[in-house]
Amino acid sequence: MSHISLQCVNCRASFPANMSRLLCDKCQAPLDVFYESPGGKSDAGGESAPRMPKPTHEGSVMVTLGEGDTPVVELTKVGKLLGSERLYGKLEFLNPTGSFKDRGSATLISVALELGVAEIVEDSSGNAGASIAAYTARAGIKAHIFAPAGAPSNKIRQIRVYGAEAHLVEGLREAATQAAVEFYRKNDLLYASHNLSPYFVEGTKTFAYEVFEQFADGLPAHIVMPVGNGSLFIGAWKGFQELKAGGHIGGIPTLHCIQAQAVRPIVDAFQGRQWSAEDAQPTVAGGISVANPPRLSQVVAIVRASGGQALAVSESEILRWHGLLSAQEGIYAEPTSAAAFAGVDALIRQGHIGSGDLTLVPITGFGLKDTTEY
Ligand SMILES: Cc1ncc(COP(=O)(O)O)c(C=O)c1O
Ligand SMILES: [Zn+2]
């Protein structure tokens, strides 16, 4: 018997663990991994190092490219401009394919390898596709990646160079999802959607475990993230929850969710406003341009539970902080990642973050991936 099952994030219905089940039979909500036997004795007390529960089985081969363990640096100059005396960035763009997605891909593709999967279908705005392409290359699994035809050409090139088949789809991000779904059904393949798969989110939990180690003298009071589907957001929350349940931390940082004004379904849901996918506008923050995120309710619940905010930032603010991050700190991030700094600005102005509060921003993607002139 497996040490995990899959549990509906909405109605808590339980299903045996496999890779083809992505939604609950009863209410069509996404699923999370549920650990029947969490992680051994070391999680029981606060004394020893925490051991992160994983969906793979003991002794199985892990598909890894050395993801994670990204550095944390202080951002004194950008901090000063923002009015924060204690601002830090966690350099997630130093992951093997240039974005935090490698945390999720490593786990998702390790589970696929363990189960003997030979071919998968995935859809992505670019970064998750490039990441899945790298990890499937390493695992010897064939990958079909569906991406918007308008995705940055460097990301598409990256998908192809790893040997994955890139299927470019005209239209918005959602059109790529639709095409991927049609393709996997028609060809009877496994749909390894990083947005739906419970295993991807299990991989991003490592972010929280690293923050726990890197801030041994005291966790950040606030973590501010750019959010599209919420894979890092949800994974970080799950990781902190596990650390708390294991007695390793007393409290969890306040998690804030930042979206672009152009595409803000989570922000509107949080703020009680009506949002329709047809309202989506083009944005420089392509990584968070997700008009209809399947895990929306889960993200909103986490924002509320952690006492955070969900707010939207303008295109000009995203580009302004993108420029400042490079010119002031030497950090060349994707515009998507810079949205979080525009978010910190708004959170400080609105009084949600104090100038002395320890604040951490994951800098999620590398600048050279998206060199579009805006
Ligand atoms: C650079 C970057 N940052 C943030 C995100 C948002 O991640 P998620 O959709 O899991 O919330 C993405 C997603 O593509 C991304 O590429
Ligand atoms: Zn359900």
Side-chain angles (χ1 to χ4, degrees), residues 8-13 15 24-31:
C8 172
V9 301
N10 178 44
C11 75
R12 304 285 161 204
F15 303 92
C24 172
D25 263 359
K26 301 185 170 59
C27 72
Q28 301 305 304
L31 307 170

Side-chain angles (χ1 to χ4, degrees), residues 87-136:
L87 180 68
Y88 290 81
K90 188 160 165 61
L91 308 187
E92 289 297 289
F93 61 85
L94 292 178
N95 273 298
T97 74
S99 83
F100 77 89
K101 304 278 184 181
D102 295 338
R103 297 179 184 275
S105 302
T107 298
L108 175 64
I109 301 305
S110 294
V111 174
L113 185 68
E114 187 179 294
L115 297 179
V117 173
E119 196 166 346
I120 63 154
V121 178
E122 146 80 333
D123 57 278
S124 155
S125 68
N127 278 339
S131 178
I132 295 280
Y135 284 78
T136 47

Side-chain angles (χ1 to χ4, degrees), residues 98-101 124-128 155 173 194-195 200 204 225-234 259 266 286-290 299 334-337 362-366 369:
S99 83
F100 77 89
K101 304 278 184 181
S124 155
S125 68
N127 278 339
K155 293 185 186 176
R173 168 73 182 80
H194 72 283
N195 293 328
F200 193 87
T204 59
M225 301 192 199
V227 175
N229 272 288
S231 67
L232 184 60
F233 198 82
I234 296 166
Q259 298 203 291
I266 296 170
I288 52 173
S289 177
V290 184
V299 175
E334 277 193 50
T336 298
S337 314
I363 305 180
T364 50
F366 188 40
K369 280 168 157 276

Side-chain angles (χ1 to χ4, degrees), residues 8-358:
C8 172
V9 301
N10 178 44
C11 75
R12 304 285 161 204
S14 177
F15 303 92
N18 68 39
M19 280 201 90
S20 36
R21 172 169 296 285
L22 294 174
L23 294 173
C24 172
D25 263 359
K26 301 185 170 59
C27 72
Q28 301 305 304
L31 307 170
D32 271 348
V33 169
F34 179 80
Y35 291 91
E36 310 282 350
S37 48
K41 280 208 162 62
S42 58
D43 267 334
E47 296 295 307
S48 51
R51 209 175 79 189
M52 190 182 92
K54 293 179 185 163
T56 42
H57 291 81
E58 198 87 24
S60 67
V61 175
M62 293 300 292
V63 185
T64 177
L65 287 162
E67 60 288 336
D69 287 329
T70 54
V72 167
V73 296
E74 190 167 4
L75 304 172
T76 37
K77 290 204 270 178
V78 161
K80 199 163 184 187
L81 290 169
L82 285 165
S84 169
E85 290 150 21
R86 300 173 77 200
L87 180 68
Y88 290 81
K90 188 160 165 61
L91 308 187
E92 289 297 289
F93 61 85
L94 292 178
N95 273 298
T97 74
S99 83
F100 77 89
K101 304 278 184 181
D102 295 338
R103 297 179 184 275
S105 302
T107 298
L108 175 64
I109 301 305
S110 294
V111 174
L113 185 68
E114 187 179 294
L115 297 179
V117 173
E119 196 166 346
I120 63 154
V121 178
E122 146 80 333
D123 57 278
S124 155
S125 68
N127 278 339
S131 178
I132 295 280
Y135 284 78
T136 47
R138 192 149 169 90
I141 294 172
K142 179 166 174 56
H144 298 269
I145 311 289
F146 287 72
S153 57
N154 288 358
K155 293 185 186 176
I156 293 168
R157 212 169 297 138
Q158 195 183 3
I159 290 168
R160 288 195 167 126
V161 86
Y162 291 127
E165 201 166 316
H167 301 253
L168 302 186
V169 184
E170 293 298 336
L172 290 174
R173 168 73 182 80
E174 280 61 35
T177 304
Q178 216 170 350
V181 169
E182 281 164 21
F183 184 85
Y184 94 78
R185 285 191 178 141
K186 190 166 153 223
N187 296 287
D188 198 19
L189 293 172
L190 182 81
Y191 183 36
S193 161
H194 72 283
N195 293 328
L196 288 172
S197 170
Y199 304 109
F200 193 87
V201 166
E202 284 305 296
T204 59
K205 287 190 314 194
T206 51
F207 178 86
Y209 283 78
E210 287 169 28
V211 170
F212 165 72
E213 277 175 22
Q214 289 169 317
F215 290 89
D217 293 339
L219 284 178
H222 303 272
I223 303 183
V224 184
M225 301 192 199
V227 175
N229 272 288
S231 67
L232 184 60
F233 198 82
I234 296 166
W237 173 254
K238 288 188 104 191
F240 284 124
Q241 288 282 347
E242 287 172 1
L243 287 163
K244 192 168 171 214
H248 301 285
I249 58 175
I252 294 177
T254 303
L255 302 185
H256 302 280
C257 157
I258 309 301
Q259 298 203 291
Q261 278 169 7
V263 189
R264 42 164 216 280
I266 296 170
V267 171
D268 276 1
F270 179 78
Q271 296 180 356
R273 273 197 311 264
Q274 212 49 31
W275 165 265
S276 144
E278 286 83 60
D279 299 337
Q281 299 293 319
T283 172
V284 297
I288 52 173
S289 177
V290 184
N292 196 8
R295 291 182 182 268
L296 179 145
S297 306
Q298 200 179 5
V299 175
V300 171
I302 292 171
V303 178
R304 291 202 203 290
S306 90
Q309 296 292 316
L311 57 83
V313 294
S314 71
E315 297 296 293
S316 60
E317 283 297 287
I318 295 171
L319 288 174
R320 186 160 83 88
W321 289 105
H322 179 249
L324 288 168
L325 202 55
S326 305
Q328 298 291 321
E329 303 283 6
I331 292 176
Y332 187 25
E334 277 193 50
T336 298
S337 314
F341 290 89
V344 173
D345 193 15
L347 289 164
I348 290 176
R349 282 170 200 274
Q350 293 173 19
H352 299 298
I353 295 182
S355 60
D357 294 350
L358 181 51

